[in-house]
Amino acid sequence: MANKTYRLEVVTPERLVLSDDVEFTSAPGAEGSIGILADHAPLLTALQIGVLEYTKDGQNQKLTVTGGFLEVGDGKVTVLSNASERPVEIDISRAEAARRRAEARIEEAKRGTEDADLARAEFALKRALLRIDVSKFD
Amino acid sequence: MSGMRDIKRRIRSIKSTQQITKAMKMVAAAKLRRAQDKVTAARPFAREIQGVLSRLVGAASDVSHPLLETREVKKVAYIVVTADRGLCGGYNTNILRLVNTAFKNRNDLVLIPVGRKGRDLYKRLNKTIMAEYVGLGEDISFGTAQEIAKTVIDMYSEGQFDEVHLVFTEFVSALTQRPQQMQLLPIPAAKDAEGEGNAAVGPLYIFEPSPEGVLDELLPKYVETQIYRALLESKASEHGARMTAMGSATDNAKEMIAKLTLTFNRARQAAITKEISEVVGGAAALG
């Protein structure tokens, strides 16, 4: 049974990551995870850093998203994000290195008083963990 | 006779210059291709974010945000995107000339130069420089644009200036680049006439967390995107301009070499003729 599909587009400032007809999307919305089927009401939401999942032909696919927006418009869902990758595109060793770097920076920032540094390091850590996580679905 | 040696020396010097300009042209052509790809790749995002913004403002017309609000203009900031290096024809001059006309109209300008050429000029002229970005290099990342945007938004929010314009070179084609000026802040969002014809009707959106919350995220992102686009377009334009300039320099060198070679041959011919007539004249005197 083929579900009704709609167009999902994922764009980052650097490129168009995905443009495909999908049946279902699940995204990390600002106020919790949201699922979108075809004919969803118009919606505009900020996104958290997390995993964007979509279903095409019954197959589940994953993408990373690091913040941004999701817009549900007329038969089309657009995701605008700073960065987004498919599992195959993730360089695990780089992500691991980034994780270690971020962890070291958090330790350092905790001893210091710079709040901004801590927040940035935590964000970097989240991003690294997310990449490591998603890359396992390859 | 020394004339001949001078000509020869000049030909050699022009030849080596020609080699350099030729190499620069080829390098610029290769870099242009990459820069152009980046411009194209960045377009969908810019288009989408523009669309979302105009639909959002259209759907929730009662929202307000500091970055949208016009206020009394006491100081205007110009972000001026130039190249770090010269030898690219009128590229830098055209941009700086555009800013110059703005200077004529008002004296409350402050500057944020991006690129060494603009920075150096305004330093020399003792203009007020709020921030400067030089040596961005070949590969412009979105992070660079974010950094510039953050500084500009912070300064704008603190009231250090009340209007921000972005001056950059629009990349039309490899042969045509157009200096451009656009208002960056406050964001002229009401102009939803751009392509989005149905924006006025606009579906009723659900906003999460709230229209204001979405705007808080969206507007800085919009500014970042505009700056990013300006940087990429300028970079591509720079390479296009350099390619054209170096191409015509190479052609000029070729022409000069041809002319000088002709002069050289003529001088050589004259020298030979003179020598022959001297020999003949000498023989006749003996006879």
Side-chain angles (χ1 to χ4, degrees):
Chain A
M1 41 127 249
N3 279 320
K4 206 172 166 192
T5 62
Y6 57 91
R7 168 80 21 158
L8 172 68
E9 268 183 13
V10 181
V11 278
T12 70
E14 262 122 26
R15 68 201 172 114
L16 179 68
V17 181
L18 175 87
S19 177
D20 212 344
D21 291 320
V22 305
E23 290 138 26
F24 176 74
T25 309
S26 147
E31 300 194 323
S33 187
I34 49 170
I36 299 155
L37 285 165
D39 299 325
H40 192 286
L43 167 82
L44 189 55
T45 178
L47 291 180
Q48 292 178 357
I49 179 167
V51 185
L52 180 92
E53 286 183 62
Y54 63 92
T55 314
K56 179 179 164 60
D57 303 329
Q59 297 275 307
N60 226 6
Q61 310 277 351
K62 284 176 198 254
L63 288 174
T64 64
V65 282
T66 52
F69 304 92
L70 181 142
E71 188 202 18
V72 185
D74 199 14
K76 191 178 140 192
V77 173
T78 313
V79 175
L80 298 166
S81 178
N82 272 356
S84 172
E85 288 127 357
R86 296 159 201 272
V88 283
E89 290 163 353
I90 295 170
D91 184 339
I92 298 181
S93 54
R94 241 184 82 183
E96 286 281 359
R99 190 193 68 177
R100 277 193 296 277
R101 233 180 9 249
E103 278 169 351
R105 275 221 307 273
I106 288 176
E107 279 307 307
E108 211 175 293
K110 270 183 183 154
R111 265 178 272 128
T113 46
E114 285 285 330
D115 284 349
D117 283 355
L118 183 62
R120 259 177 54 192
E122 273 172 353
F123 188 72
L125 178 62
K126 257 192 194 166
R127 202 166 48 204
L129 288 175
L130 170 74
R131 286 200 174 122
I132 294 166
D133 204 28
V134 169
S135 67
K136 292 187 184 127
F137 288 96
D138 190 4
Chain B
M1 247 33 63
S2 69
M4 265 167 71
R5 228 183 18 237
D6 283 347
I7 295 173
K8 217 168 188 178
R9 197 179 299 136
R10 279 204 65 194
I11 292 180
R12 211 176 313 134
S13 130
I14 293 170
K15 256 192 188 142
S16 65
T17 308
Q18 186 192 25
Q19 263 166 7
I20 293 169
T21 57
K22 208 177 196 171
M24 281 184 77
K25 182 194 164 185
M26 278 174 337
V27 170
K31 284 182 178 170
L32 170 67
R33 182 130 23 92
R34 248 176 308 153
Q36 218 174 331
D37 287 346
K38 278 192 102 170
V39 171
T40 324
R43 262 183 201 146
F45 190 84
R47 197 180 50 228
E48 291 298 340
I49 203 157
Q50 174 90 54
V52 170
L53 183 63
S54 64
R55 283 193 290 274
L56 170 62
V57 174
S61 48
D62 53 338
V63 290
S64 68
H65 191 277
L67 297 185
L68 288 171
E69 221 93 316
T70 42
R71 55 193 195 210
E72 196 199 333
V73 179
K74 287 190 234 72
K75 264 205 175 118
V76 181
Y78 270 67
I79 304 176
V80 184
V81 188
T82 58
D84 276 336
R85 296 186 300 152
L87 290 179
C88 44
Y91 174 79
N92 290 316
T93 330
N94 287 341
I95 277 285
L96 297 172
R97 194 180 298 142
L98 185 68
V99 180
N100 251 353
T101 49
F103 263 117
K104 266 182 210 129
N105 296 331
R106 56 199 319 159
N107 44 13
D108 49 0
L109 288 188
V110 292
L111 292 154
I112 302 171
V114 179
R116 199 161 279 134
K117 285 285 164 186
R119 197 267 315 255
D120 290 353
L121 174 76
Y122 294 128
K123 253 206 175 135
R124 223 169 25 243
L125 295 176
N126 267 329
K127 302 282 184 200
T128 324
I129 293 175
M130 304 299 284
E132 55 175 62
Y133 298 89
V134 296
L136 297 186
E138 214 40 64
D139 208 23
I140 290 161
S141 73
F142 191 62
T144 315
Q146 278 180 308
E147 202 183 302
I148 298 173
K150 191 178 178 312
T151 313
V152 171
I153 291 173
D154 283 352
M155 284 177 171
Y156 179 80
S157 306
E158 284 165 17
Q160 296 199 39
F161 33 72
D162 312 290
E163 215 175 276
V164 182
H165 291 259
L166 188 57
V167 188
F168 64 104
T169 312
E170 189 190 359
F171 181 79
V172 184
S173 74
L175 296 175
T176 328
Q177 300 90 30
R178 203 178 300 136
Q180 275 275 345
Q181 180 190 339
M182 62 166 277
Q183 186 175 326
L184 190 64
L185 289 172
I187 296 168
K191 279 189 282 171
D192 49 7
E194 275 182 49
E196 296 297 330
N198 53 352
V201 190
L204 287 169
Y205 277 92
I206 306 167
F207 292 105
E208 275 183 36
S210 63
E212 288 77 18
V214 174
L215 270 184
D216 265 345
E217 295 262 344
L218 185 67
L219 294 181
K221 189 109 304 188
Y222 175 79
V223 175
E224 285 164 11
T225 314
Q226 290 299 339
I227 293 178
Y228 184 58
R229 187 178 79 100
L231 293 182
L232 290 185
E233 296 247 2
S234 295
K235 193 42 106 181
S237 299
E238 181 193 334
H239 290 313
R242 181 165 293 126
M243 198 179 86
T244 321
M246 289 301 110
S248 60
T250 311
D251 290 347
N252 285 345
K254 203 168 145 196
E255 212 172 283
M256 274 176 86
I257 290 171
K259 254 190 214 148
L260 283 173
T261 313
L262 198 68
T263 325
F264 175 78
N265 286 341
R266 218 174 265 150
R268 194 188 51 169
Q269 192 63 55
I272 293 170
T273 314
K274 196 169 145 217
E275 259 173 54
I276 290 176
S277 64
E278 266 165 19
V279 171
V280 171
L286 284 176

